[in-house]
Amino acid sequence: MPSLGSSYSSIGKSVRLSRILDERGTLVFAFDHWFEHGPSDFSADRLDPRTILEKVVGAGVDAVMLTPGDARLFADIWAGRTALIVKVTGKTSLRPERERLLQSPIGSVEDAVRLGADAVAATVYWGSPMEDVMLERWIAIREAAEMYGLPVLQLAYPRGPSIRNRYELDIVLYGVRAAVQVGADLIKTYYTGSQASFAKVVEAASGIPVMMSGGPKREKMVDFLRDLKAVREAGAIGAVVGRNIFQSRDIERATQLCKAVLTGRASPEDAAEGLL
Ligand code: FBP
C-alpha cells in the first residue's frame, strides 16, 4: 500500500515547533505575570510591560509566551522578530486561595491562530481538586489546535492539597508522564533540583521536548544559570523563563546570559561575572 506520508496537521506542527525550538538550547520568555501575579512581581520602576518586552526581544529569545491581549497590543515588538506562544488559560491572584487551583479560559485557539501564533499554551494543575475541569478544557484546546496544526505547550504543574512538595522527582515525573498521555507537544515543568533527577523527567516524556519552568527570581544569577546548564545536560530542550529575566537588574544582559548558557556558549560562572 502506498504511504500517504504525514498528515497536514503533523507537518504544520513540526514547522511551527521548528520556529520555536533551537536544538542548541531554547529560551522562551514567559510574560503572563501581570495576569497571574499582578503588581507584586513588578518593582515601581518597571511596571511598563512594553519596555520589558522590547528589551527581552531585542536581546534575542526564541519565543515569547503572552496572553492574547498582550500579543495583540505588542505585536509591533514580537512580530517578525521572534516566535509567539499564546497562553489561553490563566488565573489571577485576586481569587480566593482555593480557587487558584483552577486556570480559566483567557482566550481561544482561534485567537492564537488569528494572532499568527506558532503555538498555544495551557496549564494543567495535576492534583488539583479541579483537575477534571482543567482536563476537559485541555482536551478542547488540544483538539482545536490539532485542526490548525498548532502545537500545544502544557504547563504541567503538580499542585493540590495532596502534594506536599511540587518539586519532588516522583511528583514532577507523574505530571510530565500525564502531560504526555493527554497529548502535549511540548512540556514545561518544575526543576527537580539536580541534573540526574531532571534526566529522569526528560526520559519520562518519551521524546516530547521538555522545558524547565524558571521559577521565582534566584538571589544569585549564577545559581539560576547553573540550573539552566544542568537541565540542558539532562536532555531538556531549554527553559521558559520569566522572573529570572525581567526582575534582573539588567534585563538585556540576563536574557543574553540565559541564552549563552543554554546553548553552551558560556559557562554559568563566566556568564555571570559582573552581573548581580
Ligand atoms: P517564571 O519563570 O517567572 O517562573 O515564569 C513561569 C511561569 O509559569 C509563568 O508563565 C507564570 O506566570 C508563573 O510562572 C506561574 O507562577 P506560579 O507558580 O506562582 O503560579
Side-chain angles (χ1 to χ4, degrees):
M1 202 167 102
S3 161
L4 293 179
S6 305
S7 67
Y8 290 178
S9 181
S10 67
I11 298 286
K13 274 192 191 183
S14 52
V15 167
R16 292 184 175 96
L17 274 179
S18 73
R19 291 187 196 132
I20 297 169
L21 300 180
D22 175 354
E23 296 293 332
R24 295 166 307 163
T26 303
L27 177 62
V28 175
F29 181 55
F31 201 37
D32 54 335
H33 300 71
W34 258 114
F35 193 89
E36 296 272 334
H37 298 160
S40 65
D41 267 3
F42 298 86
S43 55
D45 65 333
R46 55 183 69 180
L47 291 173
D48 175 27
R50 169 169 285 277
T51 310
I52 294 172
L53 202 57
E54 280 277 14
K55 288 184 179 181
V56 174
V57 171
V61 284
D62 298 299
V64 291
M65 186 179 80
L66 302 174
T67 56
D70 276 353
R72 177 180 69 153
L73 209 55
F74 305 130
D76 58 309
I77 300 175
W78 59 263
R81 295 170 78 197
T82 191
L84 172 70
I85 302 171
V86 173
K87 188 156 177 274
V88 294
T89 67
K91 56 109 186 57
T92 73
S93 295
L94 295 171
R95 287 182 182 186
E97 186 86 39
R98 214 189 64 86
E99 280 149 50
R100 291 185 208 159
L101 288 170
L102 174 70
Q103 291 241 332
S104 304
I106 61 168
S108 64
V109 170
E110 288 74 15
D111 286 338
V113 172
R114 284 188 277 267
L115 285 159
D118 298 290
V120 283
T123 302
V124 176
Y125 293 138
W126 294 104
S128 161
M130 277 84 83
E131 192 186 82
D132 184 50
V133 179
M134 300 189 80
L135 279 172
E136 272 182 25
R137 291 175 184 165
W138 164 264
I139 296 302
I141 291 164
R142 199 196 55 72
E143 280 182 352
E146 190 75 31
M147 292 284 293
Y148 297 104
L150 209 59
V152 189
L153 162 68
Q154 183 178 124
L155 289 79
Y157 287 178
R159 200 174 288 199
S162 63
I163 294 172
R164 279 192 310 277
N165 176 7
R166 63 176 73 155
Y167 305 101
E168 195 181 304
L169 174 59
D170 277 356
I171 298 289
V172 175
L173 271 183
Y174 199 155
V176 163
R177 193 68 207 122
V180 171
Q181 288 176 301
V182 296
D185 299 304
L186 197 56
I187 298 168
K188 167 181 190 252
T189 196
Y190 299 132
Y191 182 45
T192 48
S194 71
Q195 182 194 323
S197 63
F198 209 69
K200 295 195 174 123
V201 173
V202 173
E203 194 186 342
S206 319
I208 301 295
V210 174
M211 308 195 77
M212 174 186 109
S213 183
K217 173 83 173 64
R218 298 289 288 267
E219 209 173 303
K220 290 190 187 145
M221 187 69 181
V222 68
D223 290 335
F224 184 66
L225 296 174
R226 285 189 183 121
D227 293 348
L228 294 184
K229 180 170 186 263
V231 296
R232 278 295 289 146
E233 288 176 353
I237 190 80
V240 185
V241 183
R243 288 165 284 183
N244 277 282
I245 287 181
F246 73 77
Q247 292 176 350
S248 286
R249 207 171 49 205
D250 184 338
I251 293 174
E252 280 115 325
R253 182 133 174 80
T255 307
Q256 288 159 355
L257 296 183
C258 290
K259 183 66 185 173
V261 170
L262 283 168
T263 53
R265 282 188 288 109
S267 74
E269 293 74 20
D270 289 348
E273 208 172 293
L275 188 97
L276 302 180

